[in-house]
Amino acid sequence: MKISVMTLFPEIFESYLGESMMKRAIDKDILDVDLYNIRDFSENKHKKVDDYPFGGGAGMVMTPQPIYSTYKKILEDNNIEKARVIYLSPKGKTFDQKMAKSLAKEDNIVFLCGHYEGIDQRIIDMIVTDEVSIGDYVLTGGELPALVMIDSISRLIPGVLNRTESFEDESFENNLLEYPQYTRPREFEGLEVPEVILSGNHGKIDEWRLKEAEVLTEKRRPDLWKLYKSKKMEEERLKKRKKRRRR
C-alpha cells in the first residue's frame, strides 16, 4: 500500500513510522509512506499557508493553493490521475474497524491534515473523497488522527503482522471486545491465572475466552453487544433453514 500524507508537521510522523510494526512493514516494502510538507508548496514569498476567514470569525483558515499544489505533486509522483483523499475532520464519519478493513484494501491513500480553523471548503469540494473523525472531541490538527488511522489500517494488510501476532481475536472483531490476557507468573500479588487457560484443553480455553468477551462486551459496550446478538440470531435462523431444506 502507498500512503501519502499532506501535513504542516511531517516530523510528527517520522519517529512513529521508524518504530516497531510500522518500521517492519516499511522495511519489507509492504507499506510505503511519503510525507509532503504543505508549506513547501506555498507560492507566497513568506511560505504562508493560512489567512483570515471571509465573513469574519476567530482563527485562521488554510488557503487552497498550497494544498492543491501538494495534491497535484502526489498524483505526479505516483503516476495516477486521482486518489482517495481522507481529510481528518471532527465533522467527518467516525472511524471504526469496519472502515479500517475497507481502507486496507486500497492501493493508494492520501491523508490531508488540517490545522488552525480548518481548510478552505473549495479544497474539500475539489479533492477530498472522505471526511473522517476519530472521535467526538477536537484536536489541534489532523496529524494524530492520521497516525491512528495509518496504524489501524496498516496492521490489517497481509504480511504486516508476523506469525506470532494476529488481529482476528482482537477487540471489535465480530462486534466483541477482546477477552482478558495473562502471562507469567502464574500468581502475582495473590492473584492467580484462571485454571482453565492453564489446562491445555484448547476447546475449553476457546469457550472461556468467548464467554469472557461476551461478558465484557455486554457490560461495557451495549451498542456492540446489540450488533453481536443480532448477528448471532441471524446465523441461527440460517442454520435452521438449512436443516429444514435437508429434510
Side-chain angles (χ1 to χ4, degrees):
M1 172 185 280
K2 179 62 176 290
I3 292 176
S4 303
V5 182
M6 295 190 277
T7 174
L8 292 175
F9 302 98
E11 60 275 9
I12 290 176
F13 295 85
E14 290 168 354
S15 60
Y16 191 81
L17 294 173
E19 299 292 336
S20 187
M21 176 199 77
M22 304 299 295
K23 185 178 186 302
R24 291 202 311 265
I26 292 170
D27 288 345
K28 290 193 291 185
D29 293 325
I30 298 171
L31 183 67
D32 186 9
V33 183
D34 285 338
L35 305 174
Y36 291 81
N37 190 332
I38 296 170
R39 198 176 299 279
D40 291 342
F41 296 87
S42 174
E43 295 175 0
N44 180 279
K45 66 179 181 179
H46 301 297
K47 292 298 180 182
K48 190 177 179 183
V49 296
D50 62 319
D51 212 327
Y52 294 103
F54 283 128
M60 306 288 276
V61 176
M62 290 181 70
T63 56
Q65 178 274 311
I67 299 173
Y68 189 68
S69 295
T70 308
Y71 171 70
K72 298 295 284 185
K73 177 61 173 172
I74 291 171
L75 296 185
E76 179 186 324
D77 287 350
N78 290 280
N79 194 29
I80 53 178
E81 294 184 2
K82 62 180 180 178
R84 188 160 186 180
V85 180
I86 298 172
Y87 172 47
L88 291 312
S89 165
K91 295 184 286 186
K93 182 179 180 181
T94 304
F95 181 64
D96 59 15
Q97 191 71 359
K98 183 179 178 181
M99 189 187 299
K101 285 183 175 181
S102 175
L103 291 171
K105 298 174 184 177
E106 296 284 336
D107 293 323
N108 285 277
I109 299 178
V110 178
F111 287 95
L112 171 55
C113 305
H115 258 272
Y116 313 118
E117 293 303 308
I119 66 177
D120 190 295
Q121 180 64 38
R122 289 168 292 185
I123 282 294
I124 297 173
D125 296 339
M126 291 170 67
I127 70 170
V128 171
T129 58
D130 306 82
E131 287 191 66
V132 180
S133 166
I134 63 166
D136 294 339
Y137 44 87
V138 179
L139 296 171
T140 304
E143 283 75 18
L144 291 179
L147 272 174
V148 167
M149 290 187 66
I150 292 170
D151 186 295
S152 180
I153 293 165
S154 298
R155 64 199 322 279
L156 298 174
I157 301 170
V160 171
L161 296 182
N162 61 39
R163 291 181 181 180
T164 63
E165 300 169 319
S166 175
F167 60 83
E168 293 175 357
D169 293 329
E170 294 178 331
S171 292
F172 310 115
E173 292 297 319
N174 300 314
N175 297 311
L176 285 176
L177 300 180
E178 187 180 9
Y179 48 79
Q181 298 277 14
Y182 296 89
T183 187
R184 293 179 178 82
R186 293 177 60 161
E187 183 274 332
F188 180 73
E189 295 291 324
L191 297 175
E192 296 187 356
V193 176
E195 282 296 324
V196 64
I197 59 174
L198 300 172
S199 66
N201 186 327
H202 293 290
K204 291 290 185 182
I205 292 171
D206 288 342
E207 288 178 11
W208 179 86
R209 285 175 168 171
L210 176 59
K211 182 62 179 176
E212 289 295 314
E214 289 176 337
V215 169
L216 279 171
T217 305
E218 184 177 16
K219 181 179 180 181
R220 299 182 184 180
R221 289 293 302 271
D223 56 327
L224 290 178
W225 178 248
K226 184 177 180 180
L227 292 172
Y228 172 73
K229 292 293 288 182
S230 176
K231 185 177 178 181
K232 282 198 72 174
M233 288 174 64
E234 182 60 28
E235 288 173 351
E236 287 298 321
R237 279 195 289 267
L238 289 173
K239 285 180 182 178
K240 288 178 181 178
R241 285 178 189 172
K242 288 180 180 179
K243 286 181 180 179
R244 291 195 196 106
R245 287 171 186 169
R246 287 170 189 166
R247 294 173 189 171

